[in-house]
């Protein structure tokens, strides 16, 4: 029996996400938080691996560290096919940096999932893109790891991973237990996440049982506080915009475009390496 | 005598862009070193790396730590992280800078974790404060602000930097540097990840990074169909088309077109920007654009403030308008 742990994160629904590719419109109904797209792909990879194995040969635990509302994405994970959902939540975990996040996830896996065989993470979450939690979790657990996977294959007790990094196509292999992060920008459609079945989240919700663990349940020290444990500190935040002395054009489009070419045509034509008529008024030519 | 302060640059050289980012960071490290009276050091791992060592010295490295061993022939993140951690423990640099290539993004957090020190990803600038500490400037809070971050209590201060953020120094053959060979430690663990195949597949020509004219389109283009019009304009202008992240996520265009910290840095003579708001993760990659024309319905969009010519209008209409005008104005 292979126990797959998928680490998922709830990310703020940045104004840009998600889009309906067909209509090109924003899916506004999808609330404020959503499952990070690359974690979703990691879950999809887990589901495909499980489907490729015999009945009861694999079990998937989706785990997330986050605020109480992150429970939503665990219901979603269960609706998609995860067997267990676990939320690690505690005010003392708030403000965890990547090292602390890896520490907390690591503590959960070590103490509560000693049979974990394969640990999957998204390569990088859309809200910060640091790509740090996966590699740091591997350090925490002291297990081998491969980043940026595009395709996974179980071969006996090993996992084979295809990846594309820095212009290299690579095929790697390691024994389990091991950790793999799933690439977020894969052109192949292998791990394109499936849709939540109609009524699926509701059904998962009714089935209840997302396991919620706070710091005490997890066995964290009494004086543990993620925020104060971070070795980096923000000392200032500023807006980087320096306004240029610029020309603002308004009004009719045709007029604006003419002004652009009449006044700046030389700059454009020299960049193009082509000759442009800079004055195009009637009778000019 | 006080201990020599060192700024380390981990040398990534596996492909062209990795090589460039190493040189770019060396250039910035030289500026930082001058402010703190530190020594710029490159750290090179691999098999037969003499040529790289010379290159780094010619680009500003005053010292180069080298572990040259056939065992290091394949880039293996766990082995390299083990070795880098061991060297940092032994030589105690103040600062460790790593290029944010994919390999760099994998090795940096591992080393930071082992050393229990901080790491700031994707810095858009690095500086030194009045206490001689490294100030790491990175995008934060979604993209409209930059955070200044320090690592007050632990060393080294670690940061990763995206390719294209800094400019490399010219090659100086006369430059002198000290080479410090460090043998492979006996404690080196055998690799747990086996590399079965590793083939260089250079990406299709990265023309956008060198193009003289670039057209970027953002979500303000409205739809995939309307976004295609930018390619018609690009044909007329001999330009390359770039895009913002939402556009790539919505699959209006392939991820190859992404411009920004997660994508390509561009340095065109002329940039046309259509329906782009101008989040820092995007504009960090436009710093070298010489002349910017922005089109946005919102005159207060950041992108409009960065532009030389800001056109307050519908992006699609202006795109069509420029296509029409060019057809009349181009002299063959
Ligand atoms: C960790 C991280 C990394 C990121 N990396 C990148 C990156 O590498 N590259 C990148 O681009 N982004 C990146 N982003 C996303 C970035 O923060 C912004 O969300 C993104 O750049 C915004 O894209 P946009 O300008 O197309 O969309 P929006 O911000 O939605 O802006 C659309 C603009 O179009 C204008 N508009 C709307 N309709 C019209 C119309 N009809 N005519 C004219 N104008 C119109 C609006 O006024 C607005 O200014 C990253 C974000 C995060 C959190």
């Amino acid at each position: 029996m292979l126990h797959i742990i998928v680490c998922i994160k709830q990310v703020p629904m940045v104004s840009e996400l998600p889009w309906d590719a067909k209509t090109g419109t924003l899916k506004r109904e999808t609330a404020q938080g959503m499952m990070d797209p690359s974690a979703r792909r990691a879950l999809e990879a887990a589901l495909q691996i499980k489907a490729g194995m015999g009945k009861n040969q694999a079990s998937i635990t989706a785990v997330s560290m986050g605020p109480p509302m992150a429970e939503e994405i665990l219901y979603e994970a269960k609706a998609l096919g995860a067997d267990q959902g676990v939320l690690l939540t505690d005010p003392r975990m708030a403000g965890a940096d990547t090292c602390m996040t890896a520490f907390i996830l690591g503590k959960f896996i070590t103490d509560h999932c000693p049979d974990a065989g394969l640990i999957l993470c998204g390569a990088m979450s859309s809200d910060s893109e640091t790509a740090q939690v996966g590699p740091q979790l591997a350090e925490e657990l002291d297990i081998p790891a491969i980043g940026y996977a595009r395709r996974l294959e179980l071969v006996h007790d090993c996992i084979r991973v295809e990846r594309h990094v820095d212009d290299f196509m690579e095929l790697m292999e390691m024994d389990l237990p091991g950790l793999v992060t799933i690439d977020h920008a894969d052109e192949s459609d292998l791990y394109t996440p499936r849709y939540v079945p109609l009524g699926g989240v509701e059904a998962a919700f009714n089935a209840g049982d997302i396991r919620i663990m706070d710091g005490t349940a997890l066995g964290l020290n009494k004086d543990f506080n993620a925020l104060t444990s971070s070795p980096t500190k923000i000392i200032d935040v500023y807006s980087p915009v320096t306004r240029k002395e610029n020309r603002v054009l308004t009004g009719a489009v045709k007029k604006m475009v003419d002004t652009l070419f009449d006044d700046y045509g030389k700059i454009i034509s020299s960049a193009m390496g082509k000759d442009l008529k800079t004055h195009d008024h009637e009778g000019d030519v | 005598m006080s201990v020599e302060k060192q700024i380390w640059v981990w040398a990534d050289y596996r492909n062209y862009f990795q090589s460039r980012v190493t040189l770019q960071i060396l250039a910035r490290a030289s500026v930082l070193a001058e402010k703190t009276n530190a020594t710029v050091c490159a750290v090179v791992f691999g098999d037969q790396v003499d040529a790289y060592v010379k290159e780094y010295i010619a680009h500003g490295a005053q010292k180069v730590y080298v572990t040259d061993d056939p065992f290091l022939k394949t880039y293996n993140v766990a082995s390299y992280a083990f070795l880098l951690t061991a060297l940092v423990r032994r030589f105690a640099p103040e600062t460790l800078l790593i290029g944010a290539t994919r390999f760099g993004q994998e090795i940096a957090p591992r080393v930071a974790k082992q050393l229990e020190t901080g790491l700031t990803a994707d810095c858009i600038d690095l500086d030194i404060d009045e206490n001689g500490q490294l100030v790491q400037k990175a995008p934060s809070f979604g993209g409209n602000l930059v955070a200044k971050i320090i690592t007050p209590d632990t060393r080294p201060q670690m940061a990763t930097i995206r390719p294209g953020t800094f400019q490399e120094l010219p090659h100086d053959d006369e430059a002198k540097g000290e080479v410090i060979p460090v043998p492979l430690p006996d404690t080196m663990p055998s690799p747990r990840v086996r590399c079965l195949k590793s083939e260089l597949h250079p990406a299709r020509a990265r023309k956008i990074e060198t193009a003289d004219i670039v057209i970027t389109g953002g979500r303000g283009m409205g739809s995939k169909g309307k976004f295609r019009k930018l390619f018609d304009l690009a044909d007329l202008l001999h330009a390359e088309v770039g895009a913002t992240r939402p556009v790539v996520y919505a699959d209006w265009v392939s991820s190859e077109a992404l411009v920004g910290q997660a994508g390509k840095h561009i340095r065109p003579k002329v940039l046309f920007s259509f329906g782009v708001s101008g989040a820092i993760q995007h504009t960090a990659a436009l710093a070298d654009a010489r002349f910017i024309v922005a089109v946005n319905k919102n005159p207060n969009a950041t992108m409009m403030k960065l532009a030389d010519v800001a056109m307050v209008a519908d992006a699609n209409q202006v795109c069509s308008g420029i296509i029409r005008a060019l057809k009349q104005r181009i002299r063959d």
Side-chain angles (χ1 to χ4, degrees), chain A residues 14-16 125-130, chain B residues 142-143 217-222 243-247 258-263 274-282 295-298 301 313-316:
Chain A
V14 198
S15 58
E16 62 189 272
S125 61
S126 66
D127 59 341
S128 61
E129 292 197 349
T130 67
Chain B
R219 191 154 62 177
M221 284 306 292
T244 61
R245 195 173 76 165
V247 164
L258 180 63
V259 171
Q261 73 168 43
F274 289 96
V276 172
S277 60
I280 178 72
Q281 291 95 349
H282 180 74
V295 187
N296 200 305
K297 269 190 176 164
N298 175 4
D314 178 86
N316 288 290

Side-chain angles (χ1 to χ4, degrees), chain B residues 79-158:
Chain B
S79 305
Y80 279 33
F82 178 89
L83 191 55
L84 186 53
T85 305
L87 260 66
V88 168
R89 289 212 168 106
R90 183 166 155 203
F91 297 102
E94 274 283 291
T95 299
L96 172 57
L97 306 176
I98 297 179
T101 61
R102 287 202 150 185
F103 193 84
Q105 284 177 321
E106 247 188 305
I107 188 173
R110 283 169 166 264
V111 170
K113 176 85 185 166
Q114 288 186 37
L115 296 169
E116 292 178 23
T117 189
L119 167 64
T120 304
D122 296 330
C123 292
I124 57 161
D125 199 5
L126 297 170
D127 216 331
I128 300 289
D129 72 4
E130 61 284 358
N131 303 318
Q133 303 190 94
L134 182 73
V135 180
Q136 305 140 44
K137 301 182 188 172
S140 76
F141 303 111
N144 298 316
L145 297 170
V146 175
K148 289 188 186 172
I149 298 164
I150 56 167
T151 311
D153 305 315
T154 56
R155 290 293 178 269
Q157 311 162 92
M158 287 183 65

